[in-house]
Amino acid sequence: MGLRSAPLVLALGEAPLLRRACKMLVGGGVSVRSLASVARLPPRADVLLLADDERLQERLAAVSEAAQDRRRPLRVLVLSEPDEEVATGAADAVSEPAAPGTDCLRVERVDPYATAARILLGRWPLHRSMDPPGGQLPHVLVAGFGPFARALLLHALRVGQYGEEPPVVTLAADTAAQWREWIDARHPQAGRCAH
């Protein structure tokens, strides 16, 4: 039985988020190759990273054309810079940008902040080292008001509903009005999900 070579991740584009993602992957030991164009895709490539920018549809069309002769579909991850919609979780669900010939592509939209929040709370669950039957409640402290802080709050509210009692959440930011206005405008039911 032959050994499969290490996965190869391709990156197409120059967006800052894409550069940061490549740097993190390389730091984690993943082989990443930046492409200037997609005239020819390496056959052993597993994943292609694209940024959600003004050239996304153009790049998807070029990648789709270049991937026509692949044996298996190429997984394309579209990284989104956090904006107000992404930070609220509206883009949390996977949605596929339109691309011609998607039989040869598996396109997924990725919000890195929501993904990081899921990984963090998956690795360190809210109830870890606690005694819920003994009356202990999870307590989450979210500091700041950046995109990761908002994604962390939303995911904590989602997973905190699996306990008998909702978690206690403390929000700390430069001004309390930032959180209050955002929750009132975007998530008015959040108060029912936490103390």
Side-chain angles (χ1 to χ4, degrees):
M1 175 165 51
L3 294 175
R4 188 170 187 269
S5 59
L8 173 63
V9 174
L10 305 175
L12 178 62
E14 291 296 322
L17 179 62
L18 195 59
R19 287 195 305 267
R20 289 193 308 268
C22 291
K23 184 177 178 181
M24 295 293 292
L25 288 169
V26 168
V30 176
S31 178
V32 178
R33 184 183 304 170
S34 292
L35 301 176
S37 72
V38 288
R40 186 173 168 272
L41 294 171
R44 73 179 190 93
D46 294 302
V47 176
L48 172 70
L49 302 178
L50 293 175
D52 187 0
D53 59 16
E54 65 280 349
R55 295 193 57 201
L56 175 62
Q57 294 304 322
E58 169 192 334
R59 287 185 173 133
L60 279 172
V63 169
S64 179
E65 186 173 323
Q68 290 297 321
D69 59 348
R70 290 180 59 87
R71 291 185 186 158
R72 66 180 194 272
L74 177 66
R75 186 175 180 201
V76 178
L77 301 181
V78 178
L79 305 179
S80 299
E81 279 286 0
D83 56 19
E84 200 55 31
E85 288 304 309
V86 171
T88 65
D92 200 22
V94 172
S95 60
E96 295 190 7
T102 51
D103 295 350
C104 57
L105 303 179
R106 281 188 7 225
V107 182
E108 304 170 41
R109 189 172 299 279
V110 177
D111 170 2
Y113 293 98
T115 301
R118 283 193 299 272
I119 291 170
L120 178 72
L121 293 179
R123 175 70 176 87
W124 291 284
L126 295 177
H127 61 278
R128 186 174 181 177
S129 300
M130 292 185 47
D131 182 19
Q136 290 182 332
L137 294 178
H139 188 155
V140 180
L141 170 65
V142 180
F145 185 70
F148 179 66
R150 294 188 300 259
L152 185 61
L153 170 67
L154 291 178
H155 196 65
L157 293 176
R158 286 183 190 116
V159 299
Q161 299 313 299
Y162 294 110
E164 290 184 24
E165 289 286 325
V168 175
V169 176
T170 301
L171 303 173
D174 290 337
T175 65
Q178 287 177 303
W179 278 111
R180 192 175 315 111
E181 290 170 9
W182 182 76
I183 289 172
D184 288 347
R186 302 278 183 171
H187 304 282
Q189 302 299 319
R192 295 183 183 185
C193 301
H195 296 295

